[in-house]
Amino acid sequence: MLVPLRLLLYPDESPDVITSISLAIVFFNAFSGSVAYARMKRIDYKSGLLFSAASIPGAALGAFTTQYIPRQWFDLVFGLLMLTVAVYLLIRPSKVSPSEETDVPQGHIQRRITEVSGVTHEFSYHPWVGILMSVAVGYLSSLLGIGGGIIHVPALVNLLNFPVHVATATSHFILAVTALTGTGVHVLNGAFYHGHGVHRTVYLAIGVLLGAPLGARLSDRLHGDWIIRGLALALALVGLRLLVKAVV
């Protein structure tokens, strides 16, 4: 939500300035989430390091490309993305935990992850599928200044047979590396320092740290389906607003 809201609030700012600040916030969020998941022992570090290394070139290229996209086209692309995500959230398939495999297919990497609770997950995947996927997710995430979890987690579960909890935790770990890479590129090209980037990042980071515990408490009191529907509705409204703004 951070990027589209900034697009609406700051109509004169360039896409690279907006995405640079957003990526910095994404990094802090992903890093703090990774620390929490590390304590639960849900992160598949071997796969995470492999996919993180693959995402770095895509993330760097995405951050470099953003500065060449006209603001009107950026609004149009992001508006379409918001509508796509909203539709996905409304019709998303149920996440089913992958079944344990007796035979590992040729060329697959077998993984075994044991959580701190004692739950053990066994699965396998083809490494090149994950590598190519991570390059693409790294590029899109950095190009648009968003967290790649909405793409990465379903891909890890459906394409690479990751258990949902392991996919979510490992995605956070990968995203921290991707967002840090994209932010670094923006720092080097100077975009991060435009529009009071450092000050706004500090204020937004404080807001995220304060809002996250509140959101966690509210989530316990609201039904999960209503949270998803509310998010989908918000994304759809913002997406439509961006499309209207870009076309008119």
Side-chain angles (χ1 to χ4, degrees):
M1 292 296 294
L2 183 59
V3 172
L5 288 177
R6 286 183 58 79
L7 289 174
L8 294 176
L9 293 174
Y10 302 99
D12 297 326
E13 278 193 351
S14 63
D16 56 328
V17 172
I18 290 176
T19 55
S20 65
I21 297 174
S22 176
L23 279 176
I25 300 302
V26 168
F27 166 73
F28 286 115
N29 184 39
F31 179 78
S32 62
S34 297
V35 171
Y37 284 125
R39 293 171 180 170
M40 300 177 187
K41 294 186 177 181
R42 288 182 176 177
I43 300 176
D44 181 358
Y45 289 104
K46 182 176 180 179
S47 302
L49 289 173
L50 176 64
F51 297 157
S52 294
S55 72
I56 289 176
L61 181 60
F64 181 78
T65 305
T66 305
Q67 60 186 315
Y68 298 106
I69 302 179
R71 174 60 190 267
Q72 184 178 8
W73 281 99
F74 191 86
D75 288 356
L76 181 63
V77 170
F78 217 100
L80 291 173
L81 175 65
M82 292 295 96
L83 291 178
T84 301
V85 173
V87 172
Y88 168 78
L89 290 175
L90 290 175
I91 65 174
R92 72 195 192 286
S94 300
K95 294 185 176 70
V96 179
S97 298
S99 58
E100 293 186 0
E101 301 172 345
T102 55
D103 297 322
V104 179
Q106 185 176 4
H108 279 218
I109 294 177
Q110 186 174 18
R111 302 296 299 136
R112 179 186 175 93
I113 305 297
T114 302
E115 299 183 23
V116 70
S117 62
V119 177
T120 299
H121 306 281
E122 293 187 25
F123 58 99
S124 70
Y125 62 87
H126 197 292
W128 279 107
V129 175
I131 289 172
L132 294 176
M133 176 190 68
S134 296
V135 173
V137 172
Y139 178 78
L140 290 175
S141 176
S142 196
L143 176 73
L144 301 175
I146 60 174
I150 192 65
I151 304 172
H152 220 173
V153 172
L156 288 173
V157 172
N158 298 315
L159 297 180
L160 299 185
N161 206 36
F162 271 61
V164 174
H165 288 164
V166 178
T168 303
T170 306
S171 177
H172 265 73
F173 178 79
I174 299 168
L175 181 56
V177 176
T178 303
L180 182 61
T181 301
T183 303
V185 172
H186 284 302
V187 170
L188 291 176
N189 66 24
F192 188 73
Y193 299 105
H194 294 167
H196 306 288
V198 176
H199 293 94
R200 290 180 180 177
T201 299
V202 171
Y203 297 146
L204 288 169
I206 294 174
V208 168
L209 293 175
L210 293 176
L214 177 61
R217 291 180 182 179
L218 289 176
S219 68
D220 290 335
R221 301 181 181 181
L222 298 174
H223 194 279
D225 287 340
W226 285 106
I227 296 176
I228 295 297
R229 291 172 184 172
L231 176 60
L233 177 61
L235 293 176
L237 292 176
V238 174
L240 288 173
R241 179 68 181 87
L242 286 174
L243 288 177
V244 172
K245 178 176 174 293
V247 173
V248 176

